[in-house]
Amino acid sequence: MSATPDVSMRVTTPTRRSGFVLAALTFVYVLNFLDRQLIGILAKPIQDSLDITDGQLGLIGGLYFAMFYCFIAIPVGWLADRTSRVGVLSLACAIWSGATVACGMAATYGQLVVARMTVGFGEAGGVPPSYAIITDTYPPGKRAAALGIFNLGPAIGAAIGVAFGAAVAERFGWRMPFIIIGAVGVVTAVLVWLTVREPERGGTDIVRDAGAAEKARFWPTVGMFLSHPVLMLAALGSAATQFVTYGLGNFAVLFLMREKGMELGDVAVWYALVLALGMGGGMVVSGRVIDRMTRRSRAGYAVAPAMSLAIAMPFYIGFVWAPGWPLALALLAVVMVFNYFYLSASVALVQEEVKPNQRVLSGALLLLVMNFIGLGLGPTWVGLASDWFMAQGDTQSLQSALYTLAPFYLVAIALFLRLARLLRREQVRAEARA
């Protein structure tokens, strides 16, 4: 770190207000992920209504969405680092929620593509400002746990999306969940703007950075991130992991219904339960485990996700193989617990590694790398692979396509182990200088 420390040292402990901020941002993240996942959750009725293929479905949930979500996040991150992060977050929430309503009104595949791209445009301003707000609200030693709670957003959003989306779609059609959830998001955007205060940049750091209030320069920050081995290994390890998680997540419901025999009513109850307990439990546990491991060594930011992915991989293969949906869901629950340790670890590492006035843009760059590869290419890969296997006469084309995700576990584990070695070497050098 090249930050120049202030002579004064102050640690801010979490307050009741901190809890409110975390709860508000987590709810926004719930809506963010819920809106994003509705396409995958309602894939079967959308396919039946608009007559689209697995490949087209993969492009909507993957590349088309990520083209806006990933690259718009960079200028949005730069803007938020220089202006109000709460203001950027509120505006972004309003945009993606309005676009979600438009998804529910789409009459053709082309209209759905445009609406989804607009959702991606809005959601680009959701997560990076939230990372920085939380980091400036919670001190070191508490951040990974706070980010772990924040990262419950995907678990809660996916679970609510499944339970609410499937139940409402079964009764009123697939369009109504988009319209209702989008309307809730617009109201939430206004409430966040009115109730969440902008925290002081660097206000909770143990050593105060004298330059925290300065405006971060765009290209120097981008160059710093792309040339920083620790940041890039964290981003690439997360990207390889997300290739699996998004590839699976966008097609899991369709796979369970089409090839494992689940009905929409079963999905609304049992798949929602697996997401809530599996992914949610993993997020909470991962934050606490990472905080504990990193008190001994910063290598814990990499060791924890490497170990968790090694545990998840055989259960993932078992999930794809399972002959029926009850066994598949039981195995998937274990996968969900261990698939998401990487998220809190990588976010906390990146936020602590950079200067306070670079946190939003650095968070956006992290999301660019991991989401363009994971979110953009993972679902696209699975959808096109399924179409290819189907063209070869494979009657279980989605199963075959999901098997092809397994090697990416090994890629992610290797990247995180390399990051762990680098962090250990840096710690040894720092201790030798001290």
Side-chain angles (χ1 to χ4, degrees), residues 17 20-21 24-25 86 133 191-199:
R17 182 72 187 178
F20 170 77
V21 171
L25 297 185
V86 174
I133 293 168
L191 292 176
V192 167
W193 170 248
L194 294 175
T195 60
V196 176
R197 300 172 188 166
E198 180 76 14

Side-chain angles (χ1 to χ4, degrees), residues 31-175:
L31 294 175
N32 179 302
F33 207 82
L34 203 166
D35 293 350
R36 190 186 316 172
Q37 292 298 302
L38 279 177
I39 288 287
I41 293 165
L42 303 175
K44 186 68 167 60
I46 291 173
Q47 275 193 326
D48 293 342
S49 174
L50 301 183
D51 191 27
I52 60 179
T53 68
D54 288 353
Q56 289 176 313
L57 191 67
L59 286 167
I60 295 175
L63 187 60
Y64 293 157
F65 180 90
M67 284 170 59
F68 279 81
Y69 180 73
C70 296
F71 291 101
I72 296 298
I74 304 305
V76 167
W78 174 79
L79 177 66
D81 269 330
R82 301 173 68 86
T83 59
S84 168
R85 295 166 292 185
V86 174
V88 170
L89 174 63
S90 301
L91 178 60
C93 183
I95 292 172
W96 85 61
S97 298
T100 298
V101 174
C103 287
M105 301 173 68
T108 65
Y109 177 70
Q111 291 175 3
L112 186 60
V113 167
V114 172
R116 285 294 291 172
M117 285 182 167
T118 309
V119 172
F121 177 86
E123 290 191 3
V127 178
S130 297
Y131 285 159
I133 293 168
I134 292 169
T135 302
D136 285 337
T137 303
Y138 286 84
K142 301 290 186 181
R143 286 173 180 166
L147 287 166
I149 293 172
F150 174 72
N151 286 326
L152 281 171
I156 298 171
I160 293 175
V162 171
F164 174 81
V168 172
E170 190 174 37
R171 184 169 182 180
F172 299 105
W174 66 267
R175 299 179 185 278

Side-chain angles (χ1 to χ4, degrees), residues 415-426:
L415 288 166
F416 280 120
L417 290 176
R418 185 176 176 185
L419 174 60
R421 288 195 295 270
L422 178 58
L423 290 172
R424 288 194 187 100
R425 285 202 302 267
E426 287 190 351

Side-chain angles (χ1 to χ4, degrees), residues 248 251-262 319-322 328 396 398-400 402:
L248 167 63
F251 284 94
V253 173
L254 182 61
F255 174 61
L256 289 166
M257 291 182 67
R258 196 167 75 192
E259 299 187 14
K260 301 296 183 184
M262 286 192 83
F319 157 74
V320 179
W321 161 85
Q396 293 186 310
L398 258 181
Q399 181 182 58
S400 300
L402 290 173

Side-chain angles (χ1 to χ4, degrees), residues 255-257 259-263 266-267 270-271 274 318-319 321-334:
F255 174 61
L256 289 166
M257 291 182 67
E259 299 187 14
K260 301 296 183 184
M262 286 192 83
E263 300 292 337
D266 297 325
V267 170
W270 298 110
Y271 184 67
V274 165
F319 157 74
W321 161 85
W325 68 262
L327 177 58
L329 278 185
L331 294 168
L332 182 61
V334 180

Side-chain angles (χ1 to χ4, degrees), residues 243-311:
F243 196 95
V244 177
T245 60
Y246 277 112
L248 167 63
N250 276 260
F251 284 94
V253 173
L254 182 61
F255 174 61
L256 289 166
M257 291 182 67
R258 196 167 75 192
E259 299 187 14
K260 301 296 183 184
M262 286 192 83
E263 300 292 337
L264 202 55
D266 297 325
V267 170
V269 177
W270 298 110
Y271 184 67
L273 191 62
V274 165
L275 287 176
L277 298 180
M279 191 190 301
M283 291 294 187
V284 172
V285 170
S286 67
R288 298 186 181 278
V289 168
I290 291 160
D291 270 339
R292 179 168 297 183
M293 292 180 69
T294 53
R295 291 189 190 113
R296 296 191 297 269
S297 170
R298 293 182 77 238
Y301 284 123
V303 173
M307 291 176 59
S308 68
L309 292 172
I311 295 171

